[in-house]
Amino acid sequence: MQKIVLSAWLLATLVACGKGGAEQYVGIWQDRKIGASEFGEIRKEGDQYLFEDSSNGKKWALYEKDGAWFTRNSYNPDEQLKLSSDGNTLFFDTTPVFRVKAGVCQELAKEYLSKKTSYIRGEVKMDTGSAIKTLEDILERYHAQCNGE
């Protein structure tokens, strides 16, 4: 009987600990610096994990080195990722970003991220004033419904 209980406990522990790779970073993240409402998304594409930044529309790959995860970007060539114990704050070296909650908040953040990166990359033809208005409207709905969370 003890072996069954011990085996069940060990299996549960291994399953709980199994989310130690880059999948723990997957999600939408918000930069809440004063005056900033930027979002980034970490997602798996094929066999790699990518971070897409709404501030510039660029994507950077995540990579593992000595058991830690990093991203190589134009600001910091080897920026280490660290996740808070509750999984809701991600640090790019010392810069915190905050996980966007699932549901409406995440959908609005994804809409903002998608539209802004499309405008930056020139995939959508729209005058600057209209593009800014569209993004401001999405942010207004985001802040009204999600209270910046």
Side-chain angles (χ1 to χ4, degrees), residues 36 41 55 61 77 79 81 86-87 90 94 101 109 121 130 143 147:
E41 181 178 16
S55 68
E79 194 166 44
L81 304 178
D86 67 2
L90 177 62
T94 59
K101 294 177 182 164
R121 294 178 185 149
S130 297
H143 290 295
N147 197 21

Side-chain angles (χ1 to χ4, degrees), residues 4-38:
I4 293 171
V5 171
L6 182 60
S7 295
W9 175 83
L10 183 58
L11 179 61
T13 302
L14 289 172
V15 169
C17 293
K19 206 170 182 184
E23 61 273 354
Q24 66 187 328
Y25 305 118
V26 170
I28 304 286
W29 300 90
Q30 181 186 15
D31 182 345
R32 294 186 197 157
K33 286 183 264 180
I34 295 173
S37 286
E38 293 300 336

Side-chain angles (χ1 to χ4, degrees), residues 98-116:
F98 304 91
R99 189 180 297 274
V100 174
K101 294 177 182 164
V104 173
C105 297
Q106 200 169 80
E107 291 308 311
L108 286 167
K110 275 188 172 191
E111 181 183 0
Y112 180 87
L113 178 65
S114 171
K115 288 189 189 275
K116 185 162 185 189

Side-chain angles (χ1 to χ4, degrees), residues 21 42 49 52 84-85 92 101 119 131 139 148:
I42 296 177
Y49 290 87
E52 183 172 14
S84 64
S85 59
F92 285 83
K101 294 177 182 164
Y119 296 147
L139 281 179

Side-chain angles (χ1 to χ4, degrees), residues 19-138:
K19 206 170 182 184
E23 61 273 354
Q24 66 187 328
Y25 305 118
V26 170
I28 304 286
W29 300 90
Q30 181 186 15
D31 182 345
R32 294 186 197 157
K33 286 183 264 180
I34 295 173
S37 286
E38 293 300 336
F39 298 95
E41 181 178 16
I42 296 177
R43 64 180 172 274
K44 187 172 184 179
E45 287 188 8
D47 62 348
Q48 67 179 340
Y49 290 87
L50 298 175
F51 173 72
E52 183 172 14
D53 186 348
S54 74
S55 68
N56 58 23
K58 293 185 178 179
K59 293 180 187 180
W60 296 291
L62 275 60
Y63 65 95
E64 186 177 17
K65 183 172 109 181
D66 300 326
W69 284 89
F70 296 83
T71 183
R72 186 169 284 124
N73 60 59
S74 57
Y75 312 119
N76 187 345
D78 292 302
E79 194 166 44
Q80 186 173 0
L81 304 178
K82 295 179 187 169
L83 195 60
S84 64
S85 59
D86 67 2
N88 290 321
T89 306
L90 177 62
F91 294 89
F92 285 83
D93 282 335
T94 59
T95 305
V97 293
F98 304 91
R99 189 180 297 274
V100 174
K101 294 177 182 164
V104 173
C105 297
Q106 200 169 80
E107 291 308 311
L108 286 167
K110 275 188 172 191
E111 181 183 0
Y112 180 87
L113 178 65
S114 171
K115 288 189 189 275
K116 185 162 185 189
T117 55
S118 293
Y119 296 147
I120 290 170
R121 294 178 185 149
E123 298 167 354
V124 173
K125 301 297 180 207
M126 183 181 282
D127 67 272
T128 304
S130 297
I132 290 171
K133 175 75 172 115
T134 299
L135 294 173
E136 286 175 345
D137 289 346
I138 296 168

